Amino acid sequence: MRRRLYQGRDYRRAQNIEELREMARRRLPNFSFEYVEGGADDELTLKRNRAIFESVTLQPRTLRDVGQRRLDRCFFGTPAQLPFMIGPTGFNGLLTRDGDLHLARAAAKAGVPFVLSNASTTAIEDIAAVEGVRAWMQIYLYRTREHVARLVERVRRLNLEAIVVTTDSAIFGNREWDKRNYAKPLQLDLRNRLDVLRHPGWIWDVLVPDGVPRFKNLGDLLPPGKDSVKGAAGALAAELDPTLSWDDIAWLRDIWHGKLIVKGMIHPEDARLAMQYGVDGVVLSNHGGRQLDGAVSALETLPEVARIGRGRLEVFLDGGFRRGSDIAKALLLGASGVLIGRAGLYGLAAGKGAGAAHAINILRSELDRTLGLLGCSNLDELSPDLIHAQHWRTLAEAAQR
């Protein structure tokens, strides 16, 4: 009998993130799934983000007592139940109604932080009201800095812990496969309009009765009546600022006194600069392969950045995480923690909030099993000698010195 993944729609039967991905692909219209899935240009970076994990081979220990295992990790001195969090992803209202609320509740239940995207269809105030949530806010430094300052003030009033500023989108990446779905900007071509009609469940969930979802954190930035996912794109593109520099990080540091995390760097020298400008943490990221095609993966630059920031900087990363063993490899190479993007969205699209929670549980279970099979009872026992590939082991040892 030929092997194949589960072909049904019951997210509870998904045994891994790839099966949730296939369920999401079947449930969503093509244009919506393509927005989640696609990368820039030839998608070389997108593919590299996944392929790089295969080069990090593990060398487990045996005859160690792993009967009790712990997966908790502190971020900025505050415990989290798992060493990963839900990273910022925009337009989630196009996957399911109130998508960000579903993700925030799943994160709160799992005891991990949730980072709300600036391009969210849920207001930060509604996220902050979720019981037990540890909410962080992602922002872009738009040209209209008065809007940014007002958003920072909203975050301050809600007493949120951290702001995550994304810096790698000052120029918009060339996402060709996404653009091919449109006859002209934001107008689906005939093939995709017909495809939407083939997904009545999605239509009733997302579009009925209020139509296309609306941005809830960008109201004072957008022209009147242009706050829908469809209508705002032109205005947002005009707000991207290619003159963005470290001076703008200094400005943000001056008006925000909570934890400040810079997301989107990939070069070790930028980590040095981040510390000079008073940044508390960084997220190594190539924007999920959606910006510069041919860029290095975050995992490849992680050990050097971890070495530079050791004891002074929380070093997170994202990009390509689909297995608990992927997360373990990042921790072995010096990461403080990992941001989950598409993996959570596949669960969300497949089964709403319960599907997102199932995606988190899959990763938790895989990470727990990986930890035990490595011969470790907690994350602090992860050490470079558990890496077999000599190149990676050498880098991991340097990161821990």
Side-chain angles (χ1 to χ4, degrees):
M1 183 179 294
R2 183 174 64 87
R3 284 181 168 184
R4 68 174 185 175
L5 298 177
Y6 171 63
Q7 301 295 302
R9 295 179 177 272
D10 184 354
Y11 69 87
R12 293 168 297 184
R13 293 190 60 183
Q15 298 189 44
N16 54 45
I17 298 300
E18 181 60 24
E19 284 189 320
L20 286 174
R21 174 185 173 277
E22 282 301 302
M23 292 179 196
R25 183 183 60 80
R26 291 192 294 271
R27 180 183 171 272
L28 296 176
N30 175 70
F31 86 94
S32 183
F33 183 72
E34 179 58 51
Y35 176 78
V36 172
E37 190 77 348
D41 296 332
D42 296 314
E43 299 185 334
L44 300 176
T45 298
L46 182 70
K47 297 167 187 172
R48 186 177 187 84
N49 282 351
R50 280 298 304 137
I52 196 65
F53 288 104
E54 297 180 10
S55 68
V56 185
T57 52
L58 302 175
Q59 183 170 258
R61 299 296 303 272
T62 191
L63 293 175
R64 291 186 168 186
D65 182 355
V66 292
Q68 299 293 324
R69 298 176 300 282
R70 294 179 51 182
L71 300 177
D72 54 303
R73 171 61 59 100
C74 285
F75 301 140
F76 301 115
T78 301
Q81 293 303 304
L82 296 165
F84 62 87
M85 66 192 75
I86 301 298
T89 51
F91 300 84
N92 291 337
L94 283 176
L95 304 184
T96 189
R97 182 181 298 273
D98 298 325
D100 290 295
L101 274 175
H102 288 306
L103 285 170
R105 289 166 181 157
K109 184 178 179 180
V112 301
F114 170 72
V115 189
L116 182 68
S117 169
N118 199 172
S120 167
T121 53
T122 300
I124 183 60
E125 289 79 6
D126 294 333
I127 296 297
V130 172
E131 184 177 358
V133 75
R134 185 178 177 183
W136 300 354
M137 184 68 198
Q138 180 258 346
I139 67 171
Y140 291 98
L141 287 172
Y142 294 118
R143 292 177 186 269
T144 304
R145 293 301 160 80
E146 293 82 0
H147 160 77
V148 179
R150 286 189 291 267
L151 183 57
V152 169
E153 181 57 32
R154 288 169 66 185
V155 175
R156 181 183 293 110
R157 288 199 304 267
L158 293 168
N159 198 31
L160 299 190
E161 177 182 12
I163 282 177
V164 181
V165 55
T166 295
T167 61
D168 59 358
S169 298
I171 297 173
F172 201 69
N174 182 34
R175 303 166 194 176
E176 295 175 357
W177 285 106
D178 187 39
K179 291 191 290 187
R180 287 188 176 99
N181 295 312
Y182 299 88
K184 54 185 179 181
L186 295 174
Q187 181 176 309
L188 292 174
D189 62 19
L190 177 60
R191 179 177 63 91
N192 276 277
R193 292 201 301 271
L194 292 174
D195 180 67
V196 168
L197 296 176
R198 294 178 57 247
H199 295 81
W202 178 87
I203 292 173
W204 281 99
D205 177 28
V206 173
L207 300 183
V208 177
D210 300 319
V212 177
R214 315 190 84 79
F215 290 117
K216 297 297 179 63
N217 297 301
L218 298 172
D220 60 354
L221 182 69
L222 302 172
K226 296 292 186 180
D227 61 344
S228 74
V229 170
K230 180 178 179 180
L236 289 179
E239 282 288 339
L240 295 179
D241 187 357
T243 70
L244 192 65
S245 73
W246 285 102
D247 290 341
D248 300 296
I249 299 299
W251 171 81
L252 183 59
R253 180 75 283 179
D254 284 342
I255 67 170
W256 170 250
H257 304 299
K259 299 301 182 184
L260 180 61
I261 303 166
V262 172
K263 178 179 182 292
M265 65 176 56
I266 206 77
H267 198 292
E269 289 305 311
D270 285 333
R272 297 185 195 277
L273 287 168
M275 291 188 292
Q276 293 177 23
Y277 280 84
V279 169
D280 301 291
V282 298
V283 180
L284 303 178
S285 175
N286 54 40
H287 213 98
R290 297 158 75 86
Q291 287 295 99
L292 175 64
D293 203 23
V296 67
S297 76
L299 195 73
E300 290 172 284
T301 196
L302 166 63
E304 177 64 9
V305 174
R307 185 187 64 80
I308 291 169
R310 185 167 176 77
R312 296 189 293 166
L313 199 66
E314 295 272 26
V315 179
F316 307 102
L317 74 160
D318 65 11
F321 290 92
R322 301 291 185 273
R323 288 281 189 181
S325 57
D326 299 337
I327 298 170
K329 291 173 181 179
L331 299 176
L332 281 164
L333 291 170
S336 304
V338 164
L339 277 68
I340 300 300
R342 290 181 178 94
L345 297 184
Y346 296 148
L348 178 69
K352 302 187 179 182
H358 187 56
I360 293 173
N361 286 334
I362 286 173
L363 294 173
R364 176 197 284 115
S365 176
E366 291 178 346
L367 178 59
D368 177 69
R369 184 165 52 251
T370 299
L371 189 70
L373 289 172
L374 282 170
C376 301
S377 58
N378 61 68
L379 300 180
D380 291 336
E381 293 180 359
L382 293 173
S383 60
D385 71 292
L386 299 173
I387 301 173
H388 179 260
Q390 186 59 48
H391 167 71
W392 289 110
R393 183 173 178 174
T394 300
L395 292 176
E397 289 171 344
Q400 295 195 11
R401 283 201 293 268

